[in-house]
Amino acid sequence: MTNKLAFGVEPSNRRYRLRLSRYRALAETIAGFIKNRAGKTVILDVGVGSGRTLRYLEPTGLSERADFYGLDIDSKRLYGIYGKKKWRLVMADVTKGIPFKDESVDVAIIEQVLEHIANPIDALKEMARVLKPGGLLIVGVPIFPAPVEWVRKKVTAYAAKRFNITRGHVQTFTMKKTTGLMEKTGLFDISSVNGFRIASGGILGPLEDLRFWWKLNAFIGKIVPSLCTEIQVTAKKRKQHGD
């Protein structure tokens, strides 16, 4: 029964639901960026989904200092988004280009999207195009240990081809593969990599009502993010020489 608020903001069956902890961290990262800036911060959320970026940023008291733009390929998600009046929404596919001008965005988010894209490096380059120099990029993906990633990639690819299965996830990431992809663009300087959960749900579910369990997972995620099931990479777009 959903009668609690995850992290004090979102209806959930657990007070510290680990699957949602990445959005708490996302909001903290954006808040840290906004509070040191003058004027409005332009935020672009690619794959905006249900609008959790706004939902989790509001309690920081800094959401009014930002303009929120959301992009999604699914019109149903845009229709039901949280705080719809505060968003400027666009239905578009990042793989076909973001309908924004060059260097028009201060913060760009692509959370749990790259695993669905055939050419993720192209999406990252497109994010870089719309980001201002020194702008903040936040990338979130599910990850696996290297041996599991290799098996999963080979097996799922074979199964999809053999049984004509349409896959939701067309990419499988490790932490190293994710950061390597970002570095390969030559456009970003990575600031941090954080993981969020070692295991969740099932018999461990009740632990997600306890603050210490969330804090423990967050602590491990900072020290050894590769052990977690998902990571969030924060980077800044490189400034050109002379800027």
Side-chain angles (χ1 to χ4, degrees):
M1 183 178 179
T2 303
N3 56 2
K4 301 171 184 177
L5 289 176
F7 302 99
V9 298
E10 181 173 5
S12 174
N13 61 339
R14 299 296 179 193
R15 289 189 176 90
Y16 300 97
R17 191 180 179 203
L18 294 183
R19 286 181 178 272
L20 299 176
S21 59
R22 62 180 180 263
Y23 298 105
R24 167 67 181 261
L26 178 75
E28 290 177 347
T29 298
I30 296 172
F33 183 80
I34 290 177
K35 70 180 182 181
N36 296 318
R37 305 181 80 252
K40 288 271 189 169
T41 296
V42 177
I43 298 175
L44 171 63
D45 194 338
V46 173
V48 64
S50 62
R52 285 186 170 117
T53 297
L54 172 61
R55 184 191 288 272
Y56 282 76
L57 189 61
E58 280 183 336
T60 70
L62 294 168
S63 62
E64 296 303 319
R65 290 172 55 181
D67 289 329
F68 292 85
Y69 292 81
L71 184 150
D72 208 290
I73 199 170
D74 188 340
S75 61
K76 292 181 180 179
R77 289 181 177 177
L78 295 177
Y79 180 79
I81 194 170
Y82 174 82
K84 188 174 182 180
K85 292 182 178 180
K86 294 184 179 181
W87 289 93
R88 299 177 193 181
L89 300 169
V90 180
M91 190 171 73
D93 183 346
V94 65
T95 65
K96 298 177 180 178
I98 298 172
F100 282 70
K101 294 180 181 179
D102 293 358
E103 300 182 0
S104 58
V105 172
D106 299 300
V107 178
I109 304 155
I110 187 161
E111 175 68 51
Q112 304 295 305
V113 173
L114 291 183
E115 64 272 22
H116 301 282
I117 294 175
N119 296 301
I121 195 166
D122 291 340
L124 290 174
K125 289 178 179 178
E126 184 66 359
M127 301 290 280
R129 180 186 66 78
V130 301
L131 262 178
K132 297 175 183 177
L136 189 69
L137 175 70
I138 303 173
V139 176
V141 292
I143 63 166
F144 300 87
V148 177
E149 184 266 346
W150 186 88
V151 171
R152 180 182 172 90
K153 179 172 63 177
K154 296 297 184 182
V155 170
T156 55
Y158 171 79
K161 184 176 181 180
R162 176 70 175 79
F163 301 105
N164 195 27
I165 298 171
T166 300
R167 294 185 293 163
H169 289 198
V170 297
Q171 300 291 336
T172 307
F173 291 104
T174 63
M175 188 183 81
K176 185 176 181 180
K177 183 177 177 180
T178 306
T179 55
L181 198 67
M182 295 174 70
E183 290 167 352
K184 189 177 180 180
T185 68
L187 299 168
F188 303 104
D189 291 314
I190 294 174
S191 307
S192 65
V193 182
N194 290 315
F196 299 103
R197 57 191 175 106
I198 307 301
S200 62
I203 61 173
L204 298 177
L207 290 173
E208 295 181 46
D209 276 326
L210 305 176
R211 183 181 174 85
F212 97 88
W213 182 243
W214 161 51
K215 286 291 189 180
L216 177 61
N217 276 265
F219 176 73
I220 295 171
K222 285 182 182 294
I223 296 175
V224 197
S226 59
L227 292 181
C228 297
T229 58
E230 59 201 15
I231 57 170
Q232 205 169 76
V233 185
T234 302
K236 287 191 176 181
K237 181 181 174 181
R238 289 179 179 168
K239 296 181 179 180
Q240 296 178 356
H241 294 298
D243 286 350

